[in-house]
Amino acid sequence: MQSSRLDWDDVRVALAVARHGTLAGAARALGVNHATVMRRVGRIEAAAGLALFDRTARGYALAPGRRRVLAAMEDMERASEGLIRALANARAPMAGTVHVTSTDTLCLTVLPGVAAEIAGAAEGVKIDIKAENRHADLARLDADVAVRPAASLPEGLVGTRAARMGFAVYASPEAPAHWLGLSGALSRARPAAWLAEAIPPAQIAASADSFLVLREMAAAGQGRAILPAILGEADPRLRRLDGAMPPLATEIWVATHRDLAGVPRIRLVRDMIAESLGRRAAQLLGPAAANAP
Amino acid sequence: MQSSRLDWDDVRVALAVARHGTLAGAARALGVNHATVMRRVGRIEAAAGLALFDRTARGYALAPGRRRVLAAMEDMERASEGLIRALANARAPMAGTVHVTSTDTLCLTVLPGVAAEIAGAAEGVKIDIKAENRHADLARLDADVAVRPAASLPEGLVGTRAARMGFAVYASPEAPAHWLGLSGALSRARPAAWLAEAIPPAQIAASADSFLVLREMAAAGQGRAILPAILGEADPRLRRLDGAMPPLATEIWVATHRDLAGVPRIRLVRDMIAESLGRRAAQLLGPAAANAP
DNA sequence: GAAGGTCTGTGCAAAAATGCAATCATCGCG
DNA sequence: CGCGATGATTGCATTTTTGCACAGACCTTC
C-alpha cells in the first residue's frame, strides 16, 4: 500500500510494543519475528512523522507526551474487539435472554451502560438484570451471569476478576460523629469487618442492608456511611472523609456456572461485562482506595 | 502475519468496498490495484469465517444481515481518525481557546458532548461556547467557529454542511388549538416562513425568540410550538403532532472566517464539530423530517 | 570479572503481497 | 444484435515484507 498512509495493522504492533516495553516481548505476543516488529514500528513512526518510543538497549519505552496517542490506539483496539464480536455474532447469530444478577449498587450504576453496549453488539441477545444482595444465589445460580464483589469465587463457578470496588467513608457536610452500620448480606462484606473491629457498637446510629439505602441515610445527615466509591463520589450531597478508614477494596468477580460457560451468548455477555468493568476500573476503585488490599 | 488473525488494515479496504459497491471503485479510492482489493477482501472474509459481500458481475454488495458488522467497521474508522488527530496534536501540540458560537438550542444539546470529545483528543485546546441567537455575528465573527442553521453561508466564511436540523410541531397532551409564534432572530428561520403563510395571526397566542422558551411554553400548555426535533423528541411533556406541518429542515453549517481556517486548533475544532454533528444526523433531523426540503 | 541471558539492530534468503495485463461476464445503448 | 464500457477474476513478473541467523550492547548473577 502507500508508504505515507497509516497502516491500521501497524497500530496493533505499536500497541503490543507499548504494553510489553520490548520488541522481543511484543514479537512473542504477536507470534512474529522481532525484526518484523522493529520494522513496523519504524514504519508507523515514519507515517506519523513522529517518534512514539524511546529506544534503549533494554527496550522500547513510550516517549513522553504520548499518552493521548496511546489512548487513541487503545480506542482502535476496542473497536477491533467490537468488530470481532460483531463478526462472531454474524457467523452464528445468538439469540435469547441472558439473566445477570448483581448487587443493587452495580445494577444501578455500571450495568445499564453495559446492557446498552451489548444491545448494540449482538442483535438478538437481551439481557435481564436482577438486583440481589444475597450471596447465596451464587451457588444456586438461577441467573446465567453473576457480577459480585467477593474475596473468592465459590466452587463450580468460573470467571475472572474484572475490576476492584473501592470503599470510602462518606457523610453529608454537617458531618455527624456517629456511624451507619452494615446489616444483612452486607455484614459479610469487607467494610463490615473493619467496622466491627474499629468502631464500638455504641457509635453506630442505624444500619441497613443496602448501600443505596445507606447513601440516602448519609445524605440525610444520619451518620457516616461506608460506601462504594462509585456511589459516594457521584453524589453531590456527600463529602468523602479520607482519614476515617484505611483504604479498602474488594475484587469484583464476573462469573458463570461452569456448565454454562460454553454457551456462546452467555460467554459473550460475561466477556463484555468483564471488559466493560475493566474500562471503568478507576471509577469503581475511586480516588481513596488506590493501594488497598 | 498470521493468516487466521484479522488484519486491521483489511478492515479499511472492506469499508471502502462497502462504500463504493465495487472492487474497482474501492481500488481507485485507496490508490491500489483492484486485484489487491479483491484478494484482501477474500482474506478478511477467510479470517472472519464468513462472507461479507455478495459478489455479482456488477460489483460487491454488502451481504444481508451485515449491518452490525459494517457499523463495527465504521467504529474502527472513527477510532483511526481519532488516532490521526492525536498524532497530529502530538506532532505540533496545539494550545489555546477556540470560541464557538451557536444557537441556544445547539449549545444546550449536542455541543457539550462535542466539547468533551475535543478535550479528550487535544490536550491543550479549550473550547468556549457562546449561545447567541442573532445571525449578525456570523459576519462580524467575534467567535472562531460558528455552528448555525441557515440556508446558505455568508460571504467570507468557509465551512461545511454538517447535518440537517429537522423541525416538527409539538404540544402538551392537552393539545391546545392555537399556536406559538417565532419572533426576533427566529423570524428569519425556515419554520417562521411557513408559519407566516399557513397560520393566520389571530391563531397565534404568544411568541418568543428562543426555541428553549417556546418549548417551556408548549410544555405549559400555551399552544403548539414548532421546535427542532432534538428539543421536542427528548421532552416527555410534549407530543409530536405529525400532520400539523409539512416536513421541514434546515442545513446546519459549521464555519469559520476564511482568515482563520488555516489555524490548526481552529481547524481541528471545526472538523471535530462537523464530524460529531454528522454522527448525530438522525437525531438532529428527527423522525418527521426525513424527506424535507 | 566472567558467564549467561535478554535485548536491539542488520544482512540475506525465502515467502508473501502487489501490480500488470489478459480474459470473461454483464449491462446499457444505438 | 453487435459494440463499447465497466467490473470481476486469474496467471505471471516484480516488489515488498517477513523470518532467520548473527553481531553487538547491556544487565544480572555467580
Side-chain angles (χ1 to χ4, degrees):
Chain A
M1 313 230 74
Q2 277 155 326
S3 65
S4 65
R5 187 171 277 145
L6 186 77
D7 186 315
W8 289 9
D9 208 55
D10 287 348
V11 176
R12 191 156 54 96
V13 333
L15 256 178
V17 172
R19 293 227 173 92
H20 290 83
T22 66
L23 295 184
R28 275 191 296 272
L30 294 170
V32 297
N33 193 277
H34 70 267
T36 300
V37 176
M38 187 186 77
R39 289 184 282 239
R40 290 183 69 155
V41 168
R43 219 169 52 180
I44 195 176
E45 287 185 335
L50 155 97
L52 298 179
F53 298 97
D54 282 337
R55 291 140 166 82
T56 71
R58 326 237 327 256
Y60 273 42
L62 196 67
R66 302 292 130 87
R67 277 188 44 196
R68 281 267 148 70
V69 173
L70 179 63
M73 295 197 296
E74 285 169 342
D75 284 347
M76 259 194 100
E77 185 181 46
R78 260 192 292 283
S80 88
E81 287 162 0
L83 173 59
I84 286 170
R85 274 194 300 270
L87 287 171
N89 195 54
R91 196 163 43 226
M94 305 182 205
T97 300
V98 177
H99 298 274
V100 179
T101 178
S102 186
T103 62
D104 50 4
T105 298
L106 287 168
C107 285
L108 278 171
T109 52
V110 295
L111 285 185
V114 179
E117 285 175 33
I118 291 170
E123 197 133 14
V125 177
K126 304 235 178 303
I127 94 167
D128 169 65
I129 298 179
K130 180 181 282 184
E132 187 92 62
N133 271 343
R134 290 171 301 143
H135 276 230
D137 59 301
L138 264 175
R140 294 191 290 104
L141 202 66
D142 39 17
D144 302 314
V145 178
V147 184
R148 297 239 156 253
S152 65
L153 204 59
E155 191 62 31
L157 296 179
V158 291
T160 54
R161 286 182 288 259
R164 306 179 66 202
M165 169 166 279
F167 296 91
V169 178
Y170 295 88
S172 66
E174 296 88 44
H178 40 270
W179 289 71
L180 297 173
L182 307 170
S183 65
L186 260 43
S187 62
R188 291 198 202 166
R190 190 187 293 266
W194 175 83
L195 200 66
E197 276 185 20
I199 306 296
Q203 287 192 33
I204 295 181
S207 59
D209 71 341
S210 155
F211 284 120
L212 294 171
V213 175
L214 288 167
R215 179 179 64 171
E216 295 308 313
M217 293 166 79
Q222 297 185 43
R224 305 171 167 193
I226 305 175
L227 297 178
I230 196 166
L231 278 187
E233 296 299 323
D235 197 316
R237 302 168 298 176
L238 297 177
R239 297 221 182 132
R240 190 174 70 242
L241 306 177
D242 264 327
M245 182 182 73
L248 224 58
T250 309
E251 307 288 347
I252 302 175
W253 288 86
V254 181
T256 68
H257 197 281
R258 182 177 293 133
D259 301 342
L260 297 176
V263 179
R265 72 172 190 279
I266 292 178
R267 192 181 174 75
L268 171 85
V269 170
R270 170 158 74 81
D271 292 351
M272 285 197 68
I273 291 178
E275 182 200 316
S276 190
L277 256 53
R279 215 178 305 149
R280 290 167 227 247
Q283 202 188 348
L284 284 162
L285 191 56
N291 52 353
Chain B
M1 311 232 79
Q2 277 154 324
S3 64
S4 65
R5 188 172 277 145
L6 186 77
D7 186 314
W8 288 9
D9 209 55
D10 287 348
V11 175
R12 192 155 53 97
V13 333
L15 256 178
V17 172
R19 293 227 172 92
H20 289 84
T22 67
L23 294 185
R28 274 192 296 271
L30 295 170
V32 296
N33 195 279
H34 33 223
T36 300
V37 175
M38 186 186 78
R39 288 184 281 239
R40 290 181 70 154
V41 167
R43 221 170 51 182
I44 195 176
E45 287 186 334
L50 151 100
L52 298 178
F53 298 96
D54 282 337
R55 291 138 165 83
T56 70
R58 327 234 331 251
Y60 272 43
L62 197 68
R66 301 292 130 85
R67 277 188 45 197
R68 281 267 147 71
V69 172
L70 180 62
M73 295 197 296
E74 285 168 342
D75 284 347
M76 255 191 105
E77 185 180 46
R78 259 191 293 283
S80 87
E81 287 162 359
L83 173 59
I84 286 170
R85 272 195 300 271
L87 288 171
N89 195 54
R91 197 163 42 225
M94 304 182 206
T97 300
V98 177
H99 298 274
V100 179
T101 179
S102 186
T103 62
D104 51 5
T105 298
L106 287 169
C107 285
L108 279 171
T109 51
V110 295
L111 286 185
V114 179
E117 284 175 33
I118 291 171
E123 196 133 12
V125 177
K126 306 234 178 303
I127 93 166
D128 169 64
I129 298 179
K130 179 181 283 185
E132 187 94 61
N133 270 343
R134 290 170 301 143
H135 276 230
D137 58 302
L138 265 174
R140 295 191 289 104
L141 203 68
D142 40 17
D144 303 313
V145 178
V147 184
R148 298 238 156 254
S152 66
L153 204 58
E155 191 62 30
L157 296 178
V158 292
T160 55
R161 286 181 289 258
R164 307 179 67 204
M165 168 167 280
F167 297 91
V169 179
Y170 295 88
S172 67
E174 295 89 42
H178 40 270
W179 289 71
L180 298 172
L182 307 169
S183 65
L186 260 44
S187 61
R188 291 198 204 167
R190 191 186 291 267
W194 175 83
L195 201 66
E197 275 186 22
I199 307 296
Q203 289 191 32
I204 296 181
S207 59
D209 71 342
S210 154
F211 284 121
L212 295 170
V213 176
L214 287 167
R215 179 179 63 172
E216 295 309 311
M217 292 167 78
Q222 297 186 44
R224 305 171 166 191
I226 306 175
L227 297 179
I230 196 166
L231 278 186
E233 296 298 324
D235 195 317
R237 302 168 299 176
L238 297 177
R239 299 223 181 129
R240 191 174 69 242
L241 306 177
D242 264 328
M245 183 182 70
L248 223 56
T250 309
E251 307 288 347
I252 302 175
W253 288 86
V254 181
T256 68
H257 197 280
R258 183 178 291 134
D259 302 341
L260 296 175
V263 179
R265 72 172 190 280
I266 293 177
R267 194 185 170 73
L268 172 86
V269 170
R270 170 157 75 81
D271 291 351
M272 285 197 68
I273 291 178
E275 183 199 317
S276 190
L277 255 53
R279 214 177 303 147
R280 290 166 227 247
Q283 203 188 346
L284 284 162
L285 192 56
N291 52 353

